[in-house]
Amino acid sequence: MIETALESANNSQRIKLFEAISSSADSEGAAQYRELLNLRVAFFVFKDNGRSLNKTLIKYYSDTRNQRVNSVRRWRHQRILVKDFYNVLLSARTYVEQNDQNHLNDPFHCFMKELRNFIVHRQVLPLVSKAKAENGQWNLYESIKEQVFQEYLSKQIQKDPNRKGIQNAQKFLQKLEGNIRLKELFVEYNKKITSLHARCIFDKVKVNMKLLKNFAEEVTVVHNRARELGMTTDHPITESQLRHLNYLMCKSAGLSKKK
């Protein structure tokens, strides 16, 4: 009878814990935290695609036959490059367009947007492998068929002369003066998106600080109670996620004080 009573009490406590978990997971603070997670996932997709591209470029340039021999092997490697460049570009554009309403004021973003549109609506990336003598050595790099892209931009401007974004893209292309280096463009993209991501994260935390603090406090209570009952502390978020949330709030508060 005593064991039955203890089991009943324990089950009752667990039911209350599950109710607390459910309530916390449905809170406004939890909803805001999930938006932070969505930002991190989108950023991770871009970064992971970037790492894949770098690995492919290293492998491509390490095989000197890719520069000397026009073969099926080389074409296969170039197809992989086209795929990786496309994945980086698409994930970058997705992140920027979802999180930066003012991105079209930047000629760089306009150029990259129109390059993405060209690939989506016209043809696959017109990749070209180039070599240039610089500082006493040959530097290899990937570029695109500039004339094909220039013709595309000109036609788009003719269709809609008032679209400033396309005009900015064309000006940026002209500024490159025939020296389009895709890797360098994506290095610049990485800097811009990394900075944008940090700004988006900390701005969102700052705006929703009260809701997120309440959520973190609720999760702490839930985790403590779960430990007392010998249960896992995986819900509504894990301990590592809770630590990261507390770090973001602390960091955001510090940035606000500096301003």
Side-chain angles (χ1 to χ4, degrees), residues 67-123:
Q67 307 303 320
R68 294 184 290 103
V69 181
N70 192 22
S71 64
V72 173
R73 177 188 178 88
R74 181 188 178 212
W75 299 341
R76 186 183 304 119
H77 289 170
Q78 283 191 323
R79 286 198 297 269
I80 297 174
L81 276 175
V82 169
K83 181 262 295 182
D84 286 345
F85 274 122
Y86 174 76
N87 286 340
V88 173
L89 179 57
L90 183 61
S91 57
R93 290 307 312 158
T94 299
Y95 192 93
V96 171
E97 290 179 14
Q98 289 179 356
N99 299 293
D100 185 1
Q101 296 180 350
N102 299 315
H103 69 277
L104 291 181
N105 293 328
D106 185 338
F108 174 90
H109 282 304
C110 293
F111 174 83
M112 299 304 273
K113 176 185 178 182
E114 294 308 322
L115 182 59
R116 187 277 312 273
N117 290 347
F118 174 84
I119 296 171
V120 171
H121 301 297
R122 180 74 175 272
Q123 68 177 72

Side-chain angles (χ1 to χ4, degrees), residues 35-47 95 197:
E35 288 193 17
L36 292 175
L37 288 182
N38 289 336
L39 279 173
R40 292 186 67 194
V41 169
F43 183 64
F44 169 79
V45 171
F46 166 71
K47 297 291 283 188
Y95 192 93
H197 178 66

Side-chain angles (χ1 to χ4, degrees), residues 23-210:
S23 176
S24 181
D26 292 337
S27 67
E28 291 185 44
Q32 294 302 323
Y33 178 72
R34 285 191 288 271
E35 288 193 17
L36 292 175
L37 288 182
N38 289 336
L39 279 173
R40 292 186 67 194
V41 169
F43 183 64
F44 169 79
V45 171
F46 166 71
K47 297 291 283 188
D48 196 50
N49 283 332
R51 284 188 287 268
S52 295
L53 173 59
N54 283 331
K55 289 180 181 178
T56 300
L57 284 169
I58 291 172
K59 184 177 180 180
Y60 183 75
Y61 290 130
S62 66
D63 189 342
T64 57
R65 288 173 295 180
N66 288 328
Q67 307 303 320
R68 294 184 290 103
V69 181
N70 192 22
S71 64
V72 173
R73 177 188 178 88
R74 181 188 178 212
W75 299 341
R76 186 183 304 119
H77 289 170
Q78 283 191 323
R79 286 198 297 269
I80 297 174
L81 276 175
V82 169
K83 181 262 295 182
D84 286 345
F85 274 122
Y86 174 76
N87 286 340
V88 173
L89 179 57
L90 183 61
S91 57
R93 290 307 312 158
T94 299
Y95 192 93
V96 171
E97 290 179 14
Q98 289 179 356
N99 299 293
D100 185 1
Q101 296 180 350
N102 299 315
H103 69 277
L104 291 181
N105 293 328
D106 185 338
F108 174 90
H109 282 304
C110 293
F111 174 83
M112 299 304 273
K113 176 185 178 182
E114 294 308 322
L115 182 59
R116 187 277 312 273
N117 290 347
F118 174 84
I119 296 171
V120 171
H121 301 297
R122 180 74 175 272
Q123 68 177 72
V124 296
L125 185 69
L127 190 68
V128 178
S129 296
K130 290 188 176 183
K132 192 172 185 179
E134 296 174 325
N135 300 320
Q137 63 180 6
W138 284 103
N139 287 328
L140 309 175
Y141 62 95
E142 299 308 305
S143 185
I144 64 172
K145 296 178 181 177
E146 182 178 345
Q147 183 176 354
V148 176
F149 187 49
Q150 177 66 65
E151 290 173 356
Y152 169 80
L153 291 178
S154 297
K155 287 181 180 179
Q156 296 304 310
I157 291 174
Q158 290 174 7
K159 290 179 181 178
D160 189 352
N162 295 321
R163 283 183 61 186
K164 292 183 178 180
I166 298 180
Q167 294 174 11
N168 285 336
Q170 190 177 57
K171 290 177 182 177
F172 187 85
L173 177 61
Q174 293 169 350
K175 185 179 178 181
L176 293 175
E177 297 180 340
N179 191 27
I180 302 173
R181 303 192 182 205
L182 289 176
K183 185 177 179 180
E184 292 183 6
L185 288 176
F186 286 120
V187 167
E188 180 64 20
Y189 231 160
N190 183 61
K191 292 178 182 177
K192 286 180 177 289
I193 294 180
T194 299
S195 176
L196 171 63
H197 178 66
R199 187 167 69 250
C200 289
I201 287 287
F202 290 122
D203 285 351
K204 184 170 285 294
V205 170
K206 180 182 177 182
V207 171
N208 299 285
M209 183 69 77
K210 184 176 181 180

Side-chain angles (χ1 to χ4, degrees), residues 199 202-203 206 252-259:
R199 187 167 69 250
F202 290 122
D203 285 351
K206 180 182 177 182
S252 181
L255 292 174
S256 297
K257 289 180 181 179
K258 288 181 181 180
K259 293 179 181 180

